[in-house]
Amino acid sequence: MRTSQKSIATSRIPVWKLLVFFLSLYGCSIRPKSIAEVDLELRVLYPVLIPTENGYEPIKDTVFIQYRRDTVFYHIPFNEFDLVGMEAKNIRRKYCYFIYRQGKDSGIYMYYLDTTSVFHNLNVDSVLTHRAFKKELEIAGFQFLKREIREKKGHFTDRYFYPTELEDDLDSLNLSYNKELIHLPFSLSPKLDSAQHSKLYKIHAILNEQQNSIVHKPYPKREYILEFEVKKNMNHLLLDSAIAVLRQRKMNF
């Protein structure tokens, strides 16, 4: 029997003790100050290794975010596949969409941009928390090591370590900032942006190779990376289509 299935890549990662920390790192949108239009690419590399033909590889995701005046448009990834018996076949990488107005509590969630699909009116904070990396970054318990100033003006990285010998606890945490991005309407940590008078654009957490007490062999080094960058010339046709479909169906957002 062949059926079509969907798997939301950003929300169904196996959760264990380690990821309690990582799930608290998710980014936050704040009201823009002086920018009317900007496109961002938000990338995440999870500290979850899966076996492949080439050895262990981490799970990755990419979310695209478009700002146009007070409108915010998220492209959220998911995997669609055919289920043949109990095996997934023909895995296809696709995107669903979420659109809202800044300052509003709810927005429209769309699997497909057409006039027949069922759209859902959902809470903005709930969607962004579970699908698009929203939450404040907490560094309590970490000890500051040093600040490294980059050659490029306004770029610096703060390095921390975590004093523990327990399995699945972090070894180090690196936070990279760029003062030139402070005007952007997106933030991984509004609290740290404000404290550093700069924009946190990359979170890099490291777990060094560890002895696995269950299988009694070393578990490879793992990394968690959450970062964003400004994208040039991103296609705006999807955003235009989403707005056109919503207007045609007389749906406010």
Side-chain angles (χ1 to χ4, degrees), residues 183-227:
H183 65 289
L184 292 179
F186 179 81
S187 177
L188 296 177
S189 174
K191 183 169 65 176
L192 289 176
D193 288 350
S194 178
Q196 301 297 340
H197 305 290
S198 188
K199 182 72 69 172
L200 175 66
Y201 70 90
K202 183 177 182 179
I203 299 166
H204 182 196
I206 301 171
L207 294 95
N208 292 326
E209 181 180 284
Q210 298 173 335
Q211 187 69 28
N212 190 309
S213 60
I214 298 177
V215 298
H216 302 292
K217 65 179 182 180
Y219 199 68
K221 175 183 176 180
R222 289 160 289 164
E223 298 177 279
Y224 174 87
I225 298 175
L226 179 64
E227 63 181 334

Side-chain angles (χ1 to χ4, degrees), residues 4-158:
S4 181
Q5 302 287 324
K6 294 185 179 70
S7 172
I8 303 299
T10 55
S11 64
R12 296 183 181 176
I13 302 301
V15 178
W16 31 280
K17 174 185 173 184
L18 170 65
L19 291 187
V20 171
F21 170 80
F22 296 126
L23 290 174
S24 71
L25 300 181
Y26 295 159
C28 221
S29 295
I30 59 178
R31 193 173 186 83
K33 295 180 179 179
S34 60
I35 193 164
E37 188 172 303
V38 65
D39 300 325
L40 305 175
E41 180 178 295
L42 178 63
R43 298 184 295 269
V44 59
L45 181 150
Y46 296 95
V48 179
L49 301 178
I50 56 175
T52 69
E53 295 179 354
N54 300 317
Y56 286 100
E57 292 185 1
I59 297 175
K60 301 177 183 179
D61 261 330
T62 301
V63 175
F64 296 102
I65 311 166
Q66 295 180 278
Y67 290 85
R68 182 185 292 177
R69 293 177 291 278
D70 65 340
T71 299
V72 188
F73 187 56
Y74 274 75
H75 307 225
I76 302 174
F78 69 93
N79 290 329
E80 186 176 78
F81 56 88
D82 300 319
L83 189 62
V84 181
M86 297 298 293
E87 187 175 359
K89 298 284 189 179
N90 304 319
I91 298 175
R92 303 172 291 277
R93 187 68 158 174
K94 294 191 174 182
Y95 285 85
C96 50
Y97 308 95
F98 184 63
I99 189 169
Y100 68 95
R101 305 279 189 190
Q102 294 189 78
K104 299 291 186 180
D105 293 331
S106 63
I108 306 296
Y109 193 88
M110 302 168 279
Y111 270 117
Y112 304 102
L113 299 181
D114 60 46
T115 57
T116 61
S117 295
V118 176
F119 295 166
H120 303 277
N121 195 302
L122 300 178
N123 180 269
V124 171
D125 285 343
S126 178
V127 172
L128 299 189
T129 297
H130 292 96
R131 298 288 175 79
F133 314 111
K134 177 183 178 180
K135 274 189 183 176
E136 184 59 75
L137 170 64
E138 294 293 340
I139 57 175
F142 287 87
Q143 295 185 13
F144 180 76
L145 276 176
K146 61 179 178 178
R147 172 168 292 183
E148 294 183 355
I149 307 297
R150 305 288 182 86
E151 293 181 3
K152 211 169 183 181
K153 186 177 179 181
H155 291 235
F156 62 91
T157 298
D158 286 344

